Amino acid sequence: MTRRIVYSVALGVFVCTTVLTLVSLLTTHWVTYSVTASTGSTFSKRIGLHTSCSTVAHPSCRPFPSEDDCRDDKTFCSLWRSSGFLLSFATVVELATLVSFLVVIAGGKYKREGGWKLIGSFLLADAVVEFASMGIVAWLFENDSQFIVPGWNLDYSFYLCTVSAAVSVVLAAGLAASAYVLPPEDDYESLEDPFDS
C-alpha cells in the first residue's frame, strides 16, 4: 500500500516537473539558430511555442507563428500552434494532478490505498500530452523546410519538456509499484500483552 511519505516525496518531485513544464512553455528556447558572420557579429534566433526572438528584429521578440509566417505554410503553423496548445493543456492536467495529490495525502488511509490509481492516471495523461507536444516540435524540426539551413538546434525548453514527461511516467510507475510492494499501512501498532510473557 502506498504510504503518506511516498505520496509526499512523489508530490515534491512532481512540483519540480511542473516547474520544468512551465519554464519550457514560457521560454523561447525550443528551437534556436545561431551563426557568426565573417565580421565577427553573431546572429541568433530563438523560437518558443508562442514567441520568437531575434537579434536583428525590432522589436526583438514577437508572437510566433504570426500571420506572415503562415502565408506560405499553413501546415507548419497549425502543427506549431497545436504543440503550444498541448503544452498549455498539460499545465492544466498538472494542476489537476497537484490537487489530486493534496486530496489523497490529506485524506485517510482509504484514500491513500486507492489514490495511486487516480494520481497515476493523471501522471500518465500529463506525460502523453507533453510527449505529443514535444513530438510535434521534433517532427517539424526534422521535416519542415525552414529548419533545413545548418545551425538550427533543439534547445533546452525541448529537453525540459522531455524530462518532465519522462519523470511523470517514472512517478506513475513508482506509485503503482509502492501500492503492490509496501505492506498495508496500519493506523495503530499492536502492543504486546505483558501477561503473555
Side-chain angles (χ1 to χ4, degrees):
M1 191 203 105
T2 304
R3 298 175 184 269
R4 185 179 304 217
I5 187 70
V6 174
Y7 283 117
S8 299
V9 169
L11 173 61
V13 172
F14 185 70
V15 167
C16 294
T17 64
T18 302
V19 170
L20 293 180
T21 303
L22 289 171
V23 169
S24 71
L25 178 66
L26 299 174
T27 57
T28 58
H29 290 277
W30 276 79
V31 182
T32 57
Y33 176 79
S34 183
V35 65
T36 303
S38 58
T39 61
S41 60
T42 301
F43 166 77
S44 65
K45 183 172 184 177
R46 301 181 323 268
I47 299 176
L49 293 179
H50 303 290
T51 307
S52 173
C53 297
S54 173
T55 56
V56 295
H58 297 289
S60 62
C61 295
R62 64 178 177 81
F64 183 83
S66 67
E67 293 304 318
D68 291 336
D69 297 321
C70 298
R71 283 201 181 111
D72 297 330
D73 192 359
K74 296 202 182 287
T75 303
F76 172 82
C77 290
S78 296
L79 288 172
W80 195 269
R81 288 177 179 155
S82 295
S83 181
F85 169 78
L86 285 172
L87 200 59
S88 297
F89 179 68
T91 61
V92 174
V93 174
E94 288 175 347
L95 178 62
T97 307
L98 289 171
V99 170
S100 67
F101 262 115
L102 295 175
V103 168
V104 169
I105 291 172
K109 177 183 171 185
Y110 179 74
K111 284 191 180 178
R112 287 192 299 277
E113 283 180 358
W116 67 271
K117 295 174 188 172
L118 174 68
I119 294 173
S121 298
F122 275 125
L123 287 168
L124 292 176
D126 174 48
V128 166
V129 173
E130 286 189 68
F131 279 132
S133 176
M134 180 206 59
I136 291 171
V137 171
W139 187 85
L140 288 171
F141 178 75
E142 291 295 325
N143 296 297
D144 194 74
S145 60
Q146 71 175 311
F147 300 124
I148 287 179
V149 177
W152 285 102
N153 294 301
L154 294 172
D155 207 350
Y156 71 82
S157 294
F158 176 84
Y159 298 110
L160 290 177
C161 179
T162 305
V163 168
S164 175
V167 170
S168 291
V169 171
V170 170
L171 284 175
L175 286 175
S178 71
Y180 290 106
V181 172
L182 294 177
E185 178 181 22
D186 292 326
D187 289 339
Y188 64 91
E189 291 182 24
S190 298
L191 297 176
E192 290 184 25
D193 189 355
F195 298 111
D196 288 341
S197 327

